[in-house]
Amino acid sequence: MKGRKILMIPGPVEFTPEVLQAMGLPTTSHLAPNFMDVFGQALERLREVFIAPSGQPFIIAGSGTLAMEMAAANLVEPGDRVLVVNTGLFGDRFVAILERHGAEVTQVTAPVGDVPSLEQVDAALQKGPFKLMTVTHVDTSTGVITDIRNLAHLGRKYDTLVVVDGVCSVAGEELRQDEWGIDLTLTASQKALGVPPGLAIVVAGPRAMEVFRRRKTPVRSFYADWTNWLPIMEAYEARQPAYFGTPPVNLIWALNVSLEQILAEGLDNRFARHRRISAAFKAGVTAIGLQLVPVSLEKAAHTLTTIYYPEGIDARLLPLISEAGAIVASGRHPVIKERYFRVGHMGAVTGADVLVTVGAIEWALARSGYRFDVGAGVAAAERVLAE
Ligand SMILES: *Cc1c(COP(=O)(O)O)cnc(C)c1O
């Protein structure tokens, strides 16, 4: 038997064979001409994938949390007021990071599974001024998606910098940084970008870079300071040697391969594929009577699905789903942690992966004594995929 299970968690996800091959190439010098070319090309391609022609990309060794800290460290000075549009665990994390860097944080929140309304955010912004606002595009703990386009519009109206945590959305959910007026988008390699964990990625727009340049106090993190990294990014883009900290050579090689694949698929096609996969998966699990955490489909992300266990079932379901061939994730949000599970479907994910996963969930539920029409979930998912 193959003994292979598919990895359906909200990051790390499964990667394409070409991306994995790049991870295994002989590691070159970080100053080798062919690596300078790869790094430079990856920076250029990030502008395309973020749809941010005016943006300054940064690629740094670290996880998504470092990308969040990089935004806070470089844009915030002690005493600055920041508005956090909080939709779950990663909103809480942004509050902690911003406060660590001296920000005075105000939050707009919503019940678990919901997102704050535009009116709520507008009312909060009116009580400003705020130097910046942060919004999580897809909160991976609750599975909800925010209306970034209209939220960024509000940020513009109040002359507040708009920072988007796109860790679970960039290259999966539609996001148009420049056109929508976003000042900084951040992500990590291991989610919809489709590269093994280890890269923190930030694209900062001109207004964010201007705020950074006008700082009165030094950035209070040596490693995260753009003063150190900006010359490095500029040098690689000019195919010139430069050093501040050794870049993760193989990861950047793999990133460049993934970005090439993303652009070859076409961003609009890729967004549409994530919507279709998500619709099929959600149709599958709701057809067998399961309930989603997001309060409505309009507020549900397309890169992952969060699902309540039915009555009488708990996290003991997860090892059974794994036994049936799909690895899914446990709950993360403290308020409902024990009551739900999460399934990631982003990056190179296919319709076949959806069918296997819905089938594995059905098998595990049947084993656990849940009464339902076995096969109805797979059939519903298949119908959406066939549309
Ligand atoms: C995963 C995630 C993070 C944290 O990324 P790490 O790479 O785990 O540090 C931050 N924000 C969101 C929305 C995420 O999904």
Side-chain angles (χ1 to χ4, degrees):
M1 291 202 295
K2 290 196 268 185
R4 182 179 169 274
K5 296 175 193 297
I6 56 170
L7 184 60
M8 298 294 285
I9 64 171
V13 300
E14 293 201 337
F15 308 116
T16 65
E18 294 77 15
V19 165
L20 293 174
Q21 273 158 19
M23 292 297 292
L25 290 174
T27 305
T28 63
S29 158
H30 57 291
L31 303 178
N34 60 344
F35 178 67
M36 287 195 291
D37 240 355
V38 163
F39 203 142
Q41 202 168 36
L43 290 163
E44 290 158 4
R45 286 175 169 162
L46 279 178
R47 270 194 206 95
E48 288 184 61
V49 169
F50 283 61
I51 320 183
S54 73
Q56 172 59 54
F58 294 87
I59 306 172
I60 316 283
S63 80
T65 306
L66 175 70
M68 296 169 80
E69 184 139 31
M70 204 168 242
N74 287 282
L75 298 180
V76 168
E77 296 188 63
D80 284 344
R81 294 184 65 198
V82 177
L83 184 71
V84 172
V85 179
N86 189 340
T87 46
L89 193 76
F90 291 105
D92 295 345
R93 180 170 294 188
F94 233 147
V95 172
I97 294 171
L98 288 158
E99 285 180 345
R100 186 69 66 90
H101 287 276
E104 283 178 27
V105 176
T106 304
Q107 298 184 58
V108 197
T109 59
V112 174
D114 208 344
V115 299
S117 67
L118 291 173
E119 292 70 31
Q120 254 177 292
V121 176
D122 196 326
L125 282 168
Q126 262 176 43
K127 299 199 188 101
F130 293 97
K131 186 180 194 181
L132 63 122
M133 67 189 271
T134 71
V135 187
T136 315
H137 194 184
V138 169
D139 193 287
T140 324
S141 71
T142 55
V144 297
I145 187 167
T146 48
D147 178 358
I148 290 293
R149 182 186 207 147
N150 283 312
L151 286 168
H153 191 74
L154 281 180
R156 288 274 68 76
K157 180 170 135 193
Y158 290 94
D159 205 16
T160 297
L161 286 181
V162 177
V163 170
V164 174
D165 173 351
V167 177
C168 201
S169 78
V170 169
E173 303 282 1
E174 181 177 10
L175 186 139
R176 302 177 185 277
Q177 176 159 340
D178 273 17
E179 193 184 315
W180 291 359
I182 299 165
D183 295 300
L184 183 151
T185 309
L186 62 94
T187 192
S189 48
Q190 77 274 20
K191 300 194 188 177
L193 269 184
V195 182
L199 294 177
I201 292 166
V202 172
V203 178
R207 282 181 296 259
M209 293 310 293
E210 188 56 29
V211 164
F212 161 71
R213 285 195 189 91
R214 290 221 202 107
R215 287 181 68 95
K216 296 189 184 69
T217 59
V219 172
R220 296 208 289 188
S221 157
F222 187 69
Y223 186 69
D225 191 346
W226 287 343
T227 316
N228 294 322
W229 290 112
L230 183 59
I232 307 301
M233 300 303 138
E234 288 173 341
Y236 273 108
E237 218 173 326
R239 290 14 176 209
Q240 298 293 324
Y243 166 76
F244 168 64
T246 309
V249 171
N250 289 59
L251 274 169
I252 290 171
W253 214 291
L255 172 68
N256 195 39
V257 170
S258 192
L259 293 171
E260 182 180 16
Q261 292 180 330
I262 290 166
L263 293 169
E265 181 178 10
L267 288 171
D268 288 334
N269 293 337
R270 194 172 173 93
F271 301 148
R273 176 167 59 80
H274 280 80
R275 283 195 295 268
R276 186 170 67 250
I277 295 274
S278 168
F281 185 76
K282 287 172 173 66
V285 291
T286 52
I288 52 172
L290 303 188
Q291 198 201 327
L292 305 183
V293 173
V295 293
S296 68
L297 279 179
E298 290 69 46
K299 293 174 183 174
H302 307 97
T303 47
L304 84 158
T305 301
T306 48
I307 310 148
Y308 285 111
Y309 297 116
E311 193 71 36
I313 307 279
D314 58 25
R316 283 173 292 186
L317 186 72
L318 304 189
L320 292 175
I321 299 174
S322 167
E323 214 177 294
I327 298 165
V328 301
S330 56
R332 265 267 165 267
H333 194 283
V335 175
I336 55 169
K337 199 172 184 330
E338 312 298 331
R339 292 171 44 212
Y340 78 115
F341 65 105
R342 301 176 302 148
V343 177
H345 34 70
M346 61 190 125
V349 65
T350 65
D353 295 332
V354 169
L355 298 179
V356 169
T357 309
V358 175
I361 292 170
E362 287 201 20
W363 186 87
L365 283 170
R367 279 276 169 122
S368 309
Y370 176 62
R371 304 275 287 273
F372 66 106
D373 180 8
V374 176
V378 175
E382 239 185 302
R383 271 196 297 276
V384 174
L385 291 171
E387 267 164 22

